[in-house]
């Protein structure tokens, strides 16, 4: 399902624990890490898709998590030219996502990658809240920053900073006296 502008509807999942650390998963057979995410089927609303993707990618079910919030609007990212499948129609140029913040309310041993016929991940770990901004593939960085900034204020843990300053390369570009980079 691709919209008229070429974006595939998708959900993203930020799963946190009681310490405000987030679930960071390694893609099967690769050294690439990301949050769970996946497409929204024709017959699904974003929340239904989120629970389906959560189960398919982590083995967790509705009773294992608490929904803390979701982004108000679609967040979009474009795929780099080399990832666009030019021979498929309709042409998909990127994804538009609704992001959810979940808290694990069960034991982490419920995380299982062997329940899906095609597991997406082969490993995972808890990381500091903003660490994913440094490790995610470059073309998803801005959408991660937007989702994490909007949803991060839900966390009331003092050790989690609310802003992403210092975690993105753009923050390292000096700002001139006129305020421009």
């Amino acid at each position: 399902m691709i919209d008229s502008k070429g974006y595939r509807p998708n959900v993203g999942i930020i799963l946190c624990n009681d310490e405000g650390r987030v679930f960071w998963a390694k893609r099967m057979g690769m050294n690439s890490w990301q949050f769970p995410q996946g497409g929204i089927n024709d017959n699904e609303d974003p929340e239904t898709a989120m629970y389906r993707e959560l189960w398919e990618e982590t083995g967790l079910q509705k009773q294992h998590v608490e929904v803390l919030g979701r982004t108000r609007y679609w967040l979009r990212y474009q795929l780099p030219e080399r990832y666009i499948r030019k021979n498929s129609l309709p042409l998909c140029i990127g994804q538009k996502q609704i992001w959810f913040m979940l808290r694990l309310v069960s034991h982490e041993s419920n995380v299982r990658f062997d329940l899906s016929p095609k597991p997406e991940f082969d490993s995972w770990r808890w990381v500091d809240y903003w660490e994913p901004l440094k490790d995610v593939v470059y073309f998803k960085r801005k959408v991660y920053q937007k989702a994490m900034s909007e949803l991060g204020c839900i966390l009331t843990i003092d050790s989690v900073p609310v802003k992403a300053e210092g975690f993105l390369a753009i923050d390292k570009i000096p700002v001139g006296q006129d305020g421009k980079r």
Side-chain angles (χ1 to χ4, degrees):
M1 189 170 87
I2 310 294
D3 72 12
S4 62
K5 294 183 179 175
Y7 289 91
R8 179 176 177 239
N10 191 282
V11 292
I13 301 167
I14 302 171
L15 175 66
C16 70
N17 63 14
D18 288 335
E19 288 81 43
R21 293 171 62 82
V22 292
F23 179 92
W24 197 226
K26 185 172 117 11
R27 300 216 19 137
M28 177 67 76
M30 304 170 74
N31 190 23
S32 177
W33 294 76
Q34 70 176 53
F35 288 131
Q37 70 173 56
I40 299 174
N41 294 332
D42 286 336
N43 61 340
E44 292 179 315
D45 59 70
E47 187 169 332
T48 302
M50 179 271 296
Y51 281 120
R52 179 184 48 77
E53 287 293 335
L54 180 70
W55 182 83
E56 288 176 3
E57 296 192 2
T58 70
L60 295 173
Q61 297 180 16
K62 192 174 190 173
Q63 68 269 18
H64 297 134
V65 297
E66 172 188 10
V67 176
L68 300 178
R70 61 166 270 185
T71 54
R72 286 183 289 167
Y73 306 108
W74 293 104
L75 303 179
R76 290 174 171 75
Y77 70 85
Q78 287 190 346
L79 293 167
E81 193 73 25
R82 69 178 179 265
Y83 294 120
I84 297 175
R85 296 181 196 143
K86 303 221 167 77
N87 296 333
S88 67
L89 292 175
L91 186 65
C92 176
I93 64 162
Q95 300 203 25
K96 64 179 186 180
Q97 301 176 311
I98 296 292
W99 281 83
F100 290 85
M101 172 74 77
L102 307 178
R103 184 173 67 90
L104 184 66
V105 295
S106 68
H107 195 272
E108 62 187 45
S109 64
N110 288 311
V111 173
R112 298 199 29 206
F113 300 134
D114 62 343
L115 299 176
S116 174
K118 289 184 177 179
E120 297 221 12
F121 303 122
D122 58 19
S123 182
W124 72 276
R125 64 184 189 242
W126 293 114
V127 298
D128 290 339
Y129 188 77
W130 293 105
E131 187 175 322
L133 291 183
K134 294 185 284 187
D135 290 338
V136 71
V137 67
Y138 71 95
F139 60 88
K140 292 183 183 180
R141 243 176 230 141
K142 285 186 181 177
V143 80
Y144 268 50
Q145 181 183 16
K146 288 177 186 175
M148 294 176 77
S149 294
E150 182 176 343
L151 297 172
C153 62
I154 293 170
L155 297 179
T156 57
I157 298 165
D158 292 336
S159 64
V160 178
V162 177
K163 297 192 179 192
E165 276 111 17
F167 291 92
L168 289 177
I170 194 168
D171 293 328
K172 295 182 174 116
I173 300 169
V175 176
Q177 289 181 342
D178 61 357
K180 295 182 181 176
R181 295 184 189 276

